[in-house]
Structure formats: structure tokens, C-alpha cells
Amino acid sequence: MSRPTVGVLALQGDVREHLAALTAAGADARPVRRPGELDAVDGLVIPGGESTTISKLVDIFELREPIDKRIADGMPVYGSCAGMIMLAAEVLDGRADQRGFAGIDMTVRRNAFGRQVDSFEAPVEITGVAGDPFHAVFIRAPWVERVGAGVEVIGTVTGGPAAERIVAVRQGNLLATSFHPELTGDQRVHAYFVELTRAA
């Protein structure tokens, strides 16, 4: 599989930016809004946005059960920011009616780094991503407060007031980051996911 087909859940968030980054990283990238479009992809990106809105739209577009099934069957999925929240088994400070896919055995705290005005950038060392620390952009971002035994912590903030906070994890074919790599022009995280999808 020289160019895996990777979908971007196109219900809300940075869809266009993820599509561009995935294409630059060697994937055939396409938006996913319907179950039939999900059937045609090898991997899926859940972008940043607003996790409670994404949760509602997943039901409206009848994608919850198909995505749950594909995750159970081993499809690689990458969630950034709100996408991380959607992949978490437990969400703190979320809404009572908010439902994700519970694919990664972790607890995340929604909006942990603060409001929009508290957005910041920081270097993150990511296991499996070669080169200098990744220059990560955090916008109303979650952080990870707990991981289960099967979850690998692959990235923490390396400096500043958020130092040592867990912001990137992997469990099998599922990958999640608190930050938005699609906004940086650095395709290394997307390339990591494309390779993960190709290997699967």
C-alpha cells in the first residue's frame, strides 16, 4: 500500500488543513461525512473543533456505530485536540450527554489548558517522530490525566508552566494529541500516522 487512503471526519473543525497535511505526508486524503465514505478509507483522522458538537453530529450523520465497529476491527484513528477527547474512555469537565468512541484507555480533562485566550505554543518531544522537538499549537486543549496499562505516552510538554503534561498517546492503532499539528506546516505527526495506517 504505497499511498493509504486516510479520511478526515468532516463534520467540524480543521478538515481542510488535515487533508492538506495528510496529502503532503503521502496519503490519499478525503473527507468523510457518511458511512459509505468511511467504508472506503484505511484510516481516519478526527480533527480539532468542539467535542460536544462533534459528538452530536456523529449521531446526526449516522457515523457512531460504523466508526465504533471500524475501531473495534483495528482501523487506525488519529484524534487531535477535540479528536483526543472523542477517543478517550473517560472525559472530565465534559457535558453529561457527550459521548465519544472510548477507544483509548485514558482520562482526559476537557479545556484543561484554559480558554481560547490561553492558547499557547510549546515544544513537545514525540517518541517515534525523529528530529527536533515538535512545535505544538495548543488551542483550548485537553491534557491526559490517566493512562491505562496498554497506553503508551509518546509526548509530554518539555518546558514552561505546562511542563510534563501528557499531550500525545498511542494505544495500538489509535493515536491522539492535545495539540494541532495541522496548523504548523510540519507534517511529521501526520507522516507518523500515515505510516501507522500503511503498516496496519
Side-chain angles (χ1 to χ4, degrees):
M1 188 190 301
S2 59
R3 288 185 69 88
T5 301
V6 180
V8 178
L9 188 63
L11 305 180
Q12 195 213 20
D14 297 334
V15 176
R16 182 177 58 187
E17 292 85 352
H18 275 293
L19 290 169
L22 288 163
T23 300
D28 176 10
R30 58 185 66 176
V32 169
R33 294 185 186 88
R34 299 292 182 187
E37 294 167 341
L38 180 69
D39 291 341
V41 302
D42 305 304
L44 181 69
V45 172
I46 304 174
E50 215 292 312
S51 59
T52 55
T53 301
I54 294 172
S55 174
K56 292 176 183 175
L57 290 173
V58 162
D59 290 324
I60 291 170
F61 282 81
E62 299 180 339
L63 281 164
R64 183 173 301 282
E65 286 188 17
I67 292 175
D68 278 337
K69 185 177 186 307
R70 290 295 305 275
I71 288 174
D73 290 343
M75 177 181 68
V77 180
Y78 165 47
S80 66
C81 197
M84 171 183 264
I85 295 169
M86 291 296 294
L87 286 176
E90 181 182 17
V91 178
L92 304 178
D93 297 333
R95 285 178 41 147
D97 60 347
Q98 183 174 346
R99 292 174 57 219
F101 301 113
I104 299 178
D105 182 11
M106 65 178 173
T107 300
V108 301
R109 185 172 297 278
R110 186 171 169 263
N111 296 342
F113 286 108
R115 299 174 297 165
Q116 192 89 9
V117 295
D118 300 312
S119 300
F120 69 101
E121 301 177 16
V124 176
E125 297 267 8
I126 306 174
T127 303
V129 174
D132 294 333
F134 195 90
H135 187 79
V137 177
F138 295 86
I139 303 171
R140 293 181 62 204
W143 66 47
V144 179
E145 295 211 347
R146 177 202 63 86
V147 295
V151 180
E152 180 186 4
V153 174
I154 63 169
T156 57
V157 179
T158 57
E164 305 306 317
R165 289 292 184 185
I166 299 170
V167 293
V169 298
R170 177 179 173 181
Q171 183 172 5
N173 287 334
L174 303 180
L175 174 70
T177 66
S178 299
F179 51 88
H180 292 265
E182 75 281 3
L183 300 180
T184 66
D186 184 339
Q187 278 88 43
R188 286 180 294 162
V189 171
H190 289 84
Y192 179 95
F193 182 66
V194 170
E195 287 303 316
L196 176 64
T197 304
R198 184 178 287 119

